[in-house]
Amino acid sequence: MRLVQHSIIGYDFTMNRIHFLRPIGGLMAWAAVLMSGCDAPVEQYPPNAVHALVVHHRTDLPTEAAAQEVTQLIDQWFGTPLEPHWPAELLSGQAAKGLVDQDRLLRAPGSFYSDQDNLHYGLYTEHCVRCHGVNGGGNGAASALQNPYPRDFRAGIFKWKSTQRSARPTKDDLRRLMVHGAPGTSMPSFSRLSDDDLDVLVDYVIYLSVRGELERWLLYGAVEEIGYGDEPVEDPFRFGLVSIDNATGDRASEAALYAAEHLKRIVDQWGQSAEVAVPGASSDPASGSSVDADSVARGKELFHGQVANCAGCHGVDGVGGVNIVDYDDWSKEYSTRLGITPTDRQALEPFEALGALRPRLALPRELAGGYAHGGADAVTLYRRITQGIAGTPMPAVMLSETPSATALTPDQVWDLVHYVESLLETK
Ligand code: HEC
Ligand code: HEC
């Protein structure tokens, strides 16, 4: 059964390749669409069926019961695309409660229109859903032909940010990404949207990411830690029985405490994201107009040298062409990490049937004459080199205050930045 995913306004009727866990609901959605002329809104977030299959592979246990109950809990806590909910009740501290604004949330999914105050609604449906999908799974209707694929927000992994490699982006990072897009990929620029609309979208990306990450953790935890799969679980451990009301206070069940703990942890990670300090940024000559030719020359040497060995992946003079067979984290999850060869079509078929996109090689970029997808200013490149790129094989260089055989000094990183800037065509 294929889930019908369609935009609210009739002309954008498309099919998604996400498996629907409840065939009857799926059939009814189909019928509703056919009868209503395709303008019925998506009523439920599609569950992460790919991850349920991943958990099954990892544990060799059945996951149906866990998937069903986790979906129930997630729906109760986070609502539906018609009425999304930020579970502030379950969070402590103003920062965590206010990370996502409930009023903004309501303006992202659902039908798109403007009200009498000219507030825009359905912003995510209008601008993002065709690529990023209703639940932020990155496998929207237009995703399959793109390279790189649109981001799956549910893993909590983001590439283009000012924070540490493993950290979440800041809200400013998300806003910047939307304003500039990711040049060289199909991620467009939304520079024409108002600040207010961008705020809505930033909050909604965070909401989808938190929601999706919790869903993933609970699926795994249910099977691996709580014992779903072997036998029916007892009521206090059943996620399906946990509404927001009975997740708080003394009456909270084991399942509620478990889920709330994970929710807090995930939300805290967003709260803790902070920009990586960049030493010497203000005195960096490249942030002004003149680039120091000596620094570029030193950078070129480092690029091809033993310690940084950028050329090992990006090729001599950054022209690419190095044949490295590797994949990004999103693809590895349902291939190499399960012992499945990413090119084994037959083994991947069950995952693809549930909406997984076919693994694509994560090729080191051709830097000469190429685009920096995540921003080409010097400070951004400095962070890129010292943090690497999350979710991809691009490593971080080691930093030290003094030159060594394994690490670079901040000055040497600046030299690399200047060399990379000289390679990139577009800024
Ligand atoms: C035409 C397809 C398309 C549309 C429409 C689109 N995106 Fe993207 N988006 C992408 C692709 C492709 C990437 C991955 C870029 C990469 O990996 O470098 C991406 C990446 C992202 C990322 C992850 C950035 C990171 O740091 O990893 C975010 C956040 C994002 N998009 C948000 C949005 C939002 C919000 C909208 C709607 C306002 C939107 N996108 C519309 C294709 C699209
Ligand atoms: C193990 C292979 C590998 C090594 C070593 C490596 N890179 Fe990369 N690099 C990649 C991959 C893969 C990407 C593409 C990531 C993506 O966008 O998915 C990339 C992307 C980049 C980008 C593009 C960033 C953007 O915004 O699009 C820059 C710049 C870059 N690398 C610089 C360097 C420098 C400088 C070094 C040496 C310090 C280096 N890389 C070492 C694999 C590597």
Side-chain angles (χ1 to χ4, degrees):
M1 180 67 210
R2 294 182 158 204
L3 170 69
V4 179
Q5 181 196 344
H6 51 90
S7 152
I8 311 321
I9 307 294
Y11 65 78
D12 191 15
F13 165 60
T14 42
M15 297 248 300
N16 198 354
R17 308 188 311 137
I18 297 170
H19 179 75
F20 209 67
L21 277 184
R22 302 188 192 100
I24 301 196
L27 280 172
M28 282 166 58
W30 243 125
V33 166
L34 293 177
M35 281 157 52
S36 65
C38 313
D39 57 358
V42 181
E43 291 181 8
Q44 260 171 326
Y45 290 110
N48 194 339
V50 173
H51 193 63
L53 188 56
V54 167
V55 171
H56 170 66
H57 272 260
R58 276 161 62 161
T59 59
D60 212 17
L61 291 167
T63 53
E64 286 77 9
Q68 199 177 2
E69 300 241 344
V70 168
T71 299
Q72 276 175 19
L73 179 142
I74 295 287
D75 284 353
Q76 298 201 51
W77 287 16
F78 289 87
T80 65
L82 299 179
E83 210 173 347
H85 176 78
W86 176 245
E89 303 88 341
L90 301 170
L91 297 167
S92 49
Q94 278 315 309
K97 285 179 188 296
L99 179 67
V100 168
D101 181 276
Q102 177 64 32
D103 290 339
R104 285 190 193 138
L105 208 55
L106 295 173
R107 291 173 48 204
S111 313
F112 53 99
Y113 63 93
S114 303
D115 69 8
Q116 65 268 37
D117 300 325
N118 205 24
L119 274 188
H120 300 130
Y121 288 77
L123 286 159
Y124 184 83
T125 311
E126 183 177 3
H127 300 296
C128 322
V129 83
R130 68 184 188 276
C131 289
H132 291 284
V134 173
N135 58 6
N139 52 358
S143 60
L145 296 178
Q146 297 177 29
N147 192 6
Y149 291 127
R151 183 77 59 256
D152 176 352
F153 304 137
R154 300 169 304 179
I157 303 171
F158 293 82
K159 292 183 190 173
W160 310 129
K161 59 197 178 192
S162 62
T163 58
Q164 285 187 349
R165 183 183 182 116
S166 62
R168 303 298 171 274
T170 63
K171 286 193 170 190
D172 280 347
D173 287 335
L174 292 175
R175 199 173 294 116
R176 203 166 15 230
L177 185 263
M178 279 176 229
V179 169
H180 295 292
T185 81
S186 56
M187 171 68 199
S189 151
F190 293 94
S191 57
R192 293 214 197 128
L193 295 186
S194 68
D195 285 349
D196 178 50
D197 287 354
L198 290 172
D199 285 344
V200 168
L201 290 163
V202 164
D203 277 21
Y204 197 61
V205 166
I206 296 174
Y207 161 86
L208 287 177
S209 184
V210 170
R211 181 191 175 285
E213 243 196 292
L214 183 64
E215 181 185 23
R216 286 165 52 97
W217 276 100
L218 295 187
L219 267 172
Y220 190 68
V223 176
E224 184 74 341
E225 291 179 13
I226 297 186
Y228 278 79
D230 284 322
E231 313 244 314
V233 290
E234 313 217 343
D235 283 359
F237 294 97
R238 283 184 54 195
F239 289 132
L241 302 178
V242 180
S243 69
I244 288 213
D245 285 344
N246 61 27
T248 50
D250 300 341
R251 291 171 303 127
S253 65
E254 296 294 330
L257 294 173
Y258 182 93
E261 201 54 47
H262 275 295
L263 173 69
K264 280 188 200 126
R265 185 181 52 76
I266 293 165
V267 170
D268 282 348
Q269 282 178 317
W270 280 93
Q272 285 154 7
S273 64
E275 285 190 354
V276 170
V278 176
S282 52
S283 61
D284 165 38
S287 57
S289 50
S290 65
V291 176
D292 171 356
D294 290 345
S295 173
V296 174
R298 287 193 300 271
K300 180 172 180 171
E301 206 164 308
L302 290 164
F303 190 90
H304 296 88
Q306 283 293 324
V307 183
N309 193 23
C310 318
C313 284
H314 291 287
V316 174
D317 297 332
V319 296
V322 181
N323 193 10
I324 293 176
V325 179
D326 205 347
Y327 295 83
D328 64 29
D329 284 4
W330 296 272
S331 301
K332 279 179 185 166
E333 189 160 32
Y334 45 81
S335 56
T336 51
R337 285 182 196 151
L338 300 176
I340 294 173
T341 311
T343 48
D344 183 343
R345 298 277 291 272
Q346 211 178 346
L348 281 166
E349 205 279 326
F351 294 92
E352 290 183 16
L354 300 178
L357 297 167
R358 187 162 298 166
R360 287 244 174 82
L361 286 174
L363 293 173
R365 200 75 53 64
E366 203 179 298
L367 297 176
Y371 290 98
H373 297 181
D377 62 286
V379 170
T380 298
L381 290 173
Y382 186 100
R383 292 197 179 109
R384 210 63 79 221
I385 293 170
T386 54
Q387 299 299 322
I389 300 174
T392 84
M394 161 91 181
V397 298
M398 289 229 293
L399 274 179
S400 78
E401 284 313 310
T402 48
S404 83
T406 51
L408 302 180
T409 65
D411 282 345
Q412 289 180 314
V413 174
W414 280 120
D415 292 338
L416 270 173
V417 167
H418 299 147
Y419 176 62
V420 169
E421 283 185 306
S422 77
L423 293 177
L424 294 171
E425 185 72 20
T426 324
K427 299 204 170 183

